[in-house]
């Protein structure tokens, strides 16, 4: 059974949980928490030298990280990844937008507001990120005003990539009520069969970091 490393607060990890659940692929999860510095722990770095979650370890020892790569890997051969090259490029276009513009605004602002200690310490960075959040949500709102799904006729991995941090935007003052087309898209996503709500765990088994890695040694 494959092992997913990551915690439930992470939208990047949630994307992978969503595709694994959509595909009914069983997995265990090892909790790796950013607020405890666990992604930079030498034992986790032995698994993923990039020091980031999500990461997936397959039974044969192969490791894969980066949420977009993992979405692609687990969606290949399904309708979540389209066949036509132009359509594929459209899916990638929105996934690159998510990684370069959307996640660096919404996920970072959420991190600073919710997890990084006193938000007053980060007020300059927060002030910089707020208009960026409004911009990326405006881009999505415009797209979704005329399209049910971000990149295709039906849901694709571009929708999965954009879902968690858009949904979690309500935690940092970007409620879907202010973005009606986004609100309808979120509702559409949430009625898909096998949809996984944010913060829910689809793993068949969850291990704490120390239970998996033990003290001072890299786990197998
Ligand atoms: N581009 C990566 C970003 C992953 C990422 O930034 N993960 C965060 C948690 S959401 C992390 O592991 N941060 C640990 C750190 O930077 O120390 C992806 O999409 O998977």
């Amino acid at each position: 059974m494959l092992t997913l490393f990551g915690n439930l607060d992470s939208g990047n990890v949630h994307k992978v949980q969503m595709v694994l659940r959509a595909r009914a692929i069983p997995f265990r999860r090892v909790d790796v928490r950013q607020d405890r510095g666990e992604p930079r722990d030498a034992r986790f770095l032995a698994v993923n030298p990039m020091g980031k979650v999500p990461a997936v370890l397959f039974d044969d020892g192969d490791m894969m990280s980066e949420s977009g790569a993992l979405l692609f890997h687990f969606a290949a051969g399904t309708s979540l990844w389209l066949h036509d090259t132009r359509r594929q490029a459209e899916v990638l276009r929105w996934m690159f937008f998510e990684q370069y513009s959307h996640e660096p605004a919404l996920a970072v602002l959420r991190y600073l507001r919710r997890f990084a200690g006193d938000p007053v310490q980060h007020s300059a960075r927060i002030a910089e990120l707020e208009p960026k959040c409004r911009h990326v949500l405006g881009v999505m709102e415009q797209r979704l005003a005329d399209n049910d799904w971000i990149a295709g006729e039906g849901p694709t991995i571009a929708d999965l990539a954009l879902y968690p941090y858009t949904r979690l935007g309500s935690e940092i003052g970007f409620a879907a009520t202010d973005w009606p087309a986004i609100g309808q898209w979120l509702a559409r996503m949430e009625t898909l069969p096998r949809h996984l709500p944010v913060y829910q765990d689809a793993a068949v088994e969850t291990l704490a970091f120390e239970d998996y890695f033990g003290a001072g040694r890299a786990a197998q």
Side-chain angles (χ1 to χ4, degrees):
M1 183 164 49
L2 62 83
T3 304
L4 169 66
F5 296 86
N7 65 326
L8 298 183
D9 289 329
S10 163
N12 287 314
V13 173
H14 191 73
K15 297 170 201 171
V16 182
Q17 290 236 40
M18 287 176 80
V19 72
L20 290 171
R21 176 156 163 83
R23 299 292 322 275
I25 296 171
F27 63 99
R28 69 174 168 168
R29 185 174 66 81
V30 176
D31 209 43
V32 179
R33 285 179 47 178
Q34 206 174 346
D35 59 354
R36 290 193 189 139
E38 290 168 350
R40 301 301 163 118
D41 184 292
R43 292 166 290 170
F44 178 70
L45 290 172
V47 175
N48 179 16
M50 291 183 185
K52 299 269 188 194
V53 293
V56 164
L57 193 57
F58 295 89
D59 287 341
D60 62 1
D62 189 21
M63 189 283 300
M64 191 182 294
S65 70
E66 288 295 321
S67 60
L70 288 158
L71 284 172
F72 167 74
H73 178 77
F74 291 115
T78 77
S79 61
L80 292 168
W81 174 245
L82 307 171
H83 298 297
D84 172 77
T85 307
R86 175 65 187 91
R87 296 294 182 107
Q88 290 174 342
E90 195 60 20
V91 173
L92 290 174
R93 177 176 170 241
W94 287 96
M95 290 176 74
F96 288 130
F97 164 78
E98 189 271 339
Q99 284 283 285
Y100 196 72
S101 302
H102 179 274
E103 194 261 15
L106 285 162
V108 175
L109 182 59
R110 175 172 170 262
Y111 183 77
L112 294 177
R113 284 243 177 95
R114 290 215 44 214
F115 304 103
D118 181 3
V120 174
Q121 282 182 318
H122 308 290
S123 53
R125 186 95 178 92
I126 287 174
E128 208 176 279
L129 288 169
E130 279 171 343
K132 292 187 178 176
C133 291
R134 276 192 290 279
H135 171 70
V136 295
L137 291 170
V139 170
M140 286 182 71
E141 179 72 13
Q142 190 183 24
R143 175 70 168 190
L144 290 165
D146 300 325
N147 298 278
D148 282 354
W149 306 101
I150 281 287
E153 305 293 311
T156 67
I157 52 175
D159 297 276
L160 268 55
L162 285 160
Y163 176 79
Y165 288 116
T166 306
R167 165 49 79 207
L168 293 166
S170 61
E171 293 182 354
I172 50 167
F174 297 103
T177 42
D178 295 339
W179 314 91
I182 291 177
Q184 286 164 18
W185 168 77
L186 290 171
R188 225 171 274 131
M189 288 293 288
E190 287 158 9
T191 53
L192 289 174
R194 307 192 65 78
H195 169 72
L196 185 71
V198 288
Y199 295 115
Q200 280 194 22
D201 201 352
V204 297
E205 180 189 16
T206 300
L207 298 176
F209 188 87
E210 289 300 334
D211 290 342
Y212 178 81
F213 285 106
R217 64 177 173 79
Q220 298 304 305

Coordinates of all heavy atoms in Angstrom, one line a residue, residues 10 12 15 34 39-40 51-54 66-67 99 103 165, ligand 1:
S10 N -2.8 21.1 5.2 CA -2.2 21.5 3.9 C -3.1 21.2 2.7 O -3.5 20.1 2.4 CB -0.9 20.6 3.7 OG -0.5 20.7 2.3
N12 N -2.1 21.5 -0.3 CA -1.4 20.8 -1.3 C -1.5 19.3 -1.1 O -1.6 18.5 -2.0 CB 0.1 21.2 -1.3 CG 0.3 22.6 -1.9 OD1 -0.2 22.9 -2.9 ND2 1.1 23.4 -1.2
K15 N -5.0 18.0 -2.1 CA -5.2 17.7 -3.6 C -5.0 16.2 -3.9 O -5.7 15.5 -4.6 CB -4.2 18.5 -4.4 CG -4.4 20.0 -4.4 CD -3.2 20.6 -5.1 CE -3.0 22.0 -4.7 NZ -1.7 22.6 -5.2
Q34 N 4.1 21.0 9.2 CA 5.0 22.2 9.0 C 5.2 23.0 10.3 O 6.3 23.5 10.5 CB 4.3 23.0 8.0 CG 5.1 23.9 7.1 CD 4.3 24.6 6.0 OE1 3.2 24.2 5.7 NE2 4.9 25.6 5.4
P39 N 8.8 18.8 7.9 CA 9.3 18.6 6.5 C 10.8 18.8 6.3 O 11.4 18.3 5.4 CB 8.5 19.7 5.7 CG 7.3 20.0 6.5 CD 7.7 19.8 7.9
R40 N 11.4 19.5 7.3 CA 12.9 19.8 7.2 C 13.7 18.8 8.1 O 14.9 19.0 8.3 CB 13.2 21.2 7.6 CG 12.5 22.2 6.7 CD 12.9 22.1 5.2 NE 11.9 22.7 4.3 CZ 12.3 23.7 3.5 NH1 13.5 24.1 3.5 NH2 11.4 24.2 2.7
G51 N 12.1 18.5 0.8 CA 11.6 19.0 2.1 C 10.2 19.6 2.1 O 9.9 20.5 2.8
K52 N 9.4 19.0 1.3 CA 8.0 19.5 1.1 C 7.0 18.4 1.1 O 7.4 17.3 0.6 CB 7.8 20.3 -0.2 CG 8.7 21.5 -0.4 CD 8.0 22.7 0.2 CE 8.9 24.0 -0.2 NZ 8.4 25.1 0.5
V53 N 5.9 18.6 1.7 CA 4.8 17.7 1.5 C 3.8 18.3 0.5 O 3.7 19.6 0.5 CB 4.1 17.4 2.8 CG1 5.0 16.6 3.7 CG2 3.5 18.6 3.5
P54 N 3.0 17.5 -0.3 CA 2.9 16.1 -0.2 C 4.1 15.4 -0.9 O 4.7 15.9 -1.8 CB 1.6 15.8 -1.0 CG 1.6 16.9 -2.0 CD 2.2 18.1 -1.3
E66 N 5.5 16.8 -5.3 CA 4.9 17.9 -6.0 C 3.4 17.5 -6.4 O 3.1 16.6 -7.1 CB 5.6 18.3 -7.3 CG 6.9 19.0 -7.1 CD 6.7 20.4 -6.4 OE1 5.8 21.1 -6.8 OE2 7.5 20.7 -5.5
S67 N 2.5 18.3 -5.8 CA 1.1 18.0 -5.9 C 0.6 17.9 -7.4 O -0.2 17.0 -7.7 CB 0.2 19.0 -5.2 OG 0.4 20.3 -5.7
Q99 N 0.0 27.0 -9.3 CA 1.3 26.9 -8.6 C 2.0 28.2 -8.5 O 2.7 28.5 -7.6 CB 2.1 25.9 -9.3 CG 1.7 24.5 -9.0 CD 2.2 24.0 -7.6 OE1 3.3 23.7 -7.4 NE2 1.2 24.0 -6.7
E103 N -1.7 29.6 -5.5 CA -1.2 29.0 -4.2 C -0.3 30.0 -3.5 O -0.4 30.2 -2.3 CB -0.6 27.6 -4.5 CG -0.3 26.8 -3.3 CD 1.1 26.9 -2.8 OE1 1.9 27.8 -3.2 OE2 1.5 26.1 -2.0
Y165 N -7.3 25.4 -1.8 CA -7.0 26.8 -1.3 C -8.1 27.8 -1.6 O -8.2 28.8 -1.0 CB -5.6 27.2 -1.8 CG -4.5 26.5 -1.0 CD1 -3.6 25.6 -1.7 CD2 -4.3 26.6 0.4 CE1 -2.6 24.9 -1.0 CE2 -3.4 25.9 1.0 CZ -2.5 25.1 0.3 OH -1.5 24.4 1.0
Ligands
LIG1 N1 4.8 23.0 -5.1 C1 4.6 22.2 -4.0 C2 4.4 23.0 -2.7 C3 4.4 22.1 -1.5 C4 4.5 22.9 -0.2 O1 4.8 24.1 -0.3 N2 4.2 22.2 0.9 C5 4.3 22.9 2.2 C6 3.1 22.5 3.0 S1 1.6 23.0 2.2 C7 5.5 22.4 2.9 O2 5.8 21.2 2.9 N3 6.3 23.3 3.5 C8 7.4 22.9 4.3 C9 8.4 23.9 4.3 O3 8.5 24.7 3.4 O4 9.3 23.8 5.2 C10 3.4 21.3 -4.2 O5 2.5 21.7 -4.9 O6 3.4 20.1 -3.8

